[in-house]
């Protein structure tokens, strides 16, 4: 049996970030994941927005990791075939596997990494026991469950899952190339839905290395025939849904595979278990269209590793009342509640046809148009409109800025 203070199960974004932070703090840690190098996976493809990047930097590894990404400092915002604004942005574009592997490269040598699956976990108020697929056993004071959407250990531990919204949104990822020319005119682009009836939120295009990636977010059922048509004839189907998009992009082709990922919104409840804490998607999912997944991951991990684990290890035991402090943390709760509200607000502003949400769509359109006009005049302070058309100064504090993320900061929800 191996002994450690912290056993992290799952080496995605949240688990690997936690391992890097704890290792740098000199805390005895073991990271358990079946992959030596994280494989290709369609999840996060960019980090963006001042607040999200600042959250990553709080982990202490963000600066090194972001050097691996493709930086874009300007994002075009468009709707109805009209370019509304060329907004300053802070986008760091990187595919999920490259992001996770860059984070793993920041894990100190003192963190033991075990290439295996955790097949069973037994918890107690003192020490926890983790059984691995290679027949090894780990004894830890605390288990950090960061295995994302996997359900095996959740079932084994009897953790209850509350489904908040089934197939809340669907994320679609693919490469795009300009037809008949060498490059697109824009550095990055966010183009919003033209009709609520299309049940489409927006498409965002951004460079990753030499490739131009597209992330499309829709609100449809997973068996919707529209998705089959998109796979069969992607460019034609997209042009039918966004008929004026080509006024901004010019003609384009969609080579290669299309990745489609539906997202259920859920919350797992492990508050009565001693010696076990859930982070990232293992605790609760977020809507990729709202772009809050990385905010939740970095908030979870930063609070856990910088605040709670050092305090927990300073005294004996690891009972459920200790762990409950993490779930009740006001910074974490604020981020969780903000992400949940944003998921439903953004679906409504994209698809609802009531007078209120119709007015919200037009308010957002007008706000971006005015901002772009002022910028072209060389005017005034940059304002960041949020998804609902309101604005706040870019110099606002982190807490207030959370409710006003820029449209350019949308990204796929992080896997945990």
């Amino acid at each position: 049996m191996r002994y450690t203070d912290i056993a992290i199960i799952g080496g995605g974004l949240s688990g690997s970030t936690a391992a890097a932070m704890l290792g740098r703090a000199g805390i005895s840690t073991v990271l358990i994941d079946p992959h030596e190098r994280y494989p290709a996976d369609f999840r996060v493809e960019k980090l963006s927005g001042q607040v999200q990047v600042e959250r990553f930097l709080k982990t202490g590894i963000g600066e090194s990791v972001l050097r691996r990404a493709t930086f874009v400092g300007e994002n075009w915002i468009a709707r109805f075939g009209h370019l509304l604004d060329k907004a300053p942005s802070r986008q760091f574009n990187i595919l999920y596997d490259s992001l996770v592997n860059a984070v793993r490269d920041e894990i100190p040598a003192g963190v033991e990494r075990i290439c295996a699956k955790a097949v069973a976990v037994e918890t107690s108020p003192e020490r926890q026991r983790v059984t691995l697929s290679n027949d090894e056993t780990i004894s830890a004071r605390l288990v950090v469950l960061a295995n994302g959407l996997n359900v095996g250990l959740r079932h084994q531990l009897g953790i209850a899952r509350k489904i908040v919204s089934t197939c809340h949104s669907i994320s679609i990822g693919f490469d795009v190339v300009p037809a008949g020319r060498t490059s697109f005119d824009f550095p990055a682009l966010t183009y919003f839905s033209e009709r609520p009836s299309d049940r489409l939120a927006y498409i965002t295009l951004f460079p990753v290395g030499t490739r131009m990636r597209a992330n499309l977010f829709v609100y449809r059922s997973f068996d919707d025939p529209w998705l089959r048509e998109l796979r069969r004839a992607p460019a034609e189907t997209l042009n039918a849904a966004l008929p004026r998009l080509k006024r901004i992009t010019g003609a384009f082709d969609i080579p290669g595979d299309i990745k489609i990922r539906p997202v259920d919104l859920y919350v797992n409840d492990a508050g009565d278990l001693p010696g076990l804490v859930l982070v990232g998607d293992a605790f609760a999912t977020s809507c990729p269209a709202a772009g809050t997944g990385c905010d939740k991951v970095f908030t979870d991990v930063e609070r856990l590793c910088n605040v709670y684990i050092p305090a927990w290890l300073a005294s004996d035991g690891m009972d459920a009342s200790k762990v409950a402090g993490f779930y009740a943390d006001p910074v974490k709760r604020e981020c969780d509640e903000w992400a949940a509200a944003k998921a439903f607000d953004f679906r409504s502003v994209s698809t609802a046809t009531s007078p209120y949400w119709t007015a919200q769509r037009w308010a957002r359109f007008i706000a971006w148009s005015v901002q772009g006009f002022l910028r072209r005049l060389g005017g005034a302070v940059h304002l960041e409109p949020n998804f609902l058309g309101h604005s706040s100064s870019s110099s606002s504090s982190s807490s207030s800025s959370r409710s006003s993320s820029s449209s350019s900061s949308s990204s796929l929800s992080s896997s945990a």
Side-chain angles (χ1 to χ4, degrees), residues 112-274:
E112 188 171 8
R113 294 165 62 175
I114 301 177
C115 194
K117 286 186 177 182
V119 296
V121 176
E122 301 170 44
T123 66
S124 78
E126 294 298 329
R127 296 198 70 86
Q128 326 314 319
R129 182 185 178 100
V130 182
T131 303
L132 306 182
S133 57
N134 61 4
D135 295 328
E136 291 188 57
T137 305
I138 307 294
S139 174
R141 290 193 62 189
L142 176 72
V143 171
V144 177
L145 195 59
N147 62 344
L149 307 178
N150 295 333
V151 300
L153 290 178
R154 177 177 67 85
H155 289 159
Q156 183 252 312
L157 288 163
I159 296 173
R161 171 171 293 185
K162 177 185 177 182
I163 300 293
V164 178
S165 180
T166 302
C167 199
H168 184 83
S169 65
I170 296 178
S171 307
I172 304 165
F174 48 89
D175 287 354
V176 292
V177 297
R181 58 201 192 284
T182 58
S183 64
F184 290 104
D185 294 333
F186 52 85
L189 170 70
T190 301
Y191 188 93
F192 286 90
S193 172
E194 299 181 14
R195 301 171 299 234
S197 59
D198 287 321
R199 305 196 66 79
L200 186 154
Y202 62 94
I203 185 171
T204 177
L205 291 85
F206 50 93
V208 179
T210 59
R211 305 160 62 182
M212 183 66 78
R213 286 291 290 171
N215 287 170
L216 173 68
F217 301 96
V218 301
Y219 300 103
R220 295 174 178 268
S221 62
F222 190 59
D223 59 356
D224 193 312
W226 186 87
L227 295 172
R228 292 196 295 272
E229 282 301 301
L230 184 67
R231 286 190 183 277
R232 186 187 65 81
E236 293 84 349
T237 305
L238 184 59
N239 285 330
L242 297 171
R244 288 173 280 193
L245 172 63
K246 287 198 293 185
R247 294 183 187 176
I248 308 297
T249 63
F252 60 84
D253 296 318
I254 301 177
D257 294 334
I258 292 180
K259 304 294 184 183
I260 297 178
R261 178 183 166 229
V263 173
D264 297 333
L265 299 186
Y266 63 74
V267 179
N268 288 328
D269 182 8
D272 59 344
L273 290 175

